[in-house]
Amino acid sequence: MIGILDYGSQYTQLIARQYRRLGYQAEVWPASTRAGWIREQQSTRKIRALVLSGSPASVGYELQPDPEF
């Protein structure tokens, strides 16, 4: 499972589609997703990677990754 955190990129859905095409299960989650929630999901979903989907313009604005990442 690949988790994709959406920080406003216009390509988020394309990234998810490409991972699926390669045979991975991929889910898009909002940027506000907490690290604790992802850890809770780990036992059932087997999350192997996180992709932070955004752009240089996203950095330093309202949406910041959970510091626990």
Side-chain angles (χ1 to χ4, degrees):
M1 152 75 87
I2 307 292
I4 303 167
L5 296 175
D6 184 6
Y7 284 91
S9 170
Q10 64 186 16
Y11 297 107
T12 302
Q13 293 300 325
L14 293 173
I15 293 168
R17 187 178 333 153
Q18 186 62 27
Y19 275 115
R20 291 178 192 127
R21 184 183 290 165
L22 292 170
Y24 295 97
Q25 181 183 2
E27 290 185 18
V28 176
W29 301 320
S32 60
T33 302
R34 306 297 298 170
W37 180 84
I38 292 173
R39 276 194 295 277
E40 291 171 7
Q41 302 302 308
Q42 184 63 19
S43 62
T44 57
R45 295 185 185 205
K46 303 292 185 218
I47 301 164
R48 302 293 182 202
L50 290 175
V51 175
L52 306 181
S53 177
S55 70
S58 307
V59 175
Y61 289 100
E62 297 171 14
L63 296 175
Q64 295 294 321
D66 184 338
E68 300 257 336
F69 288 128

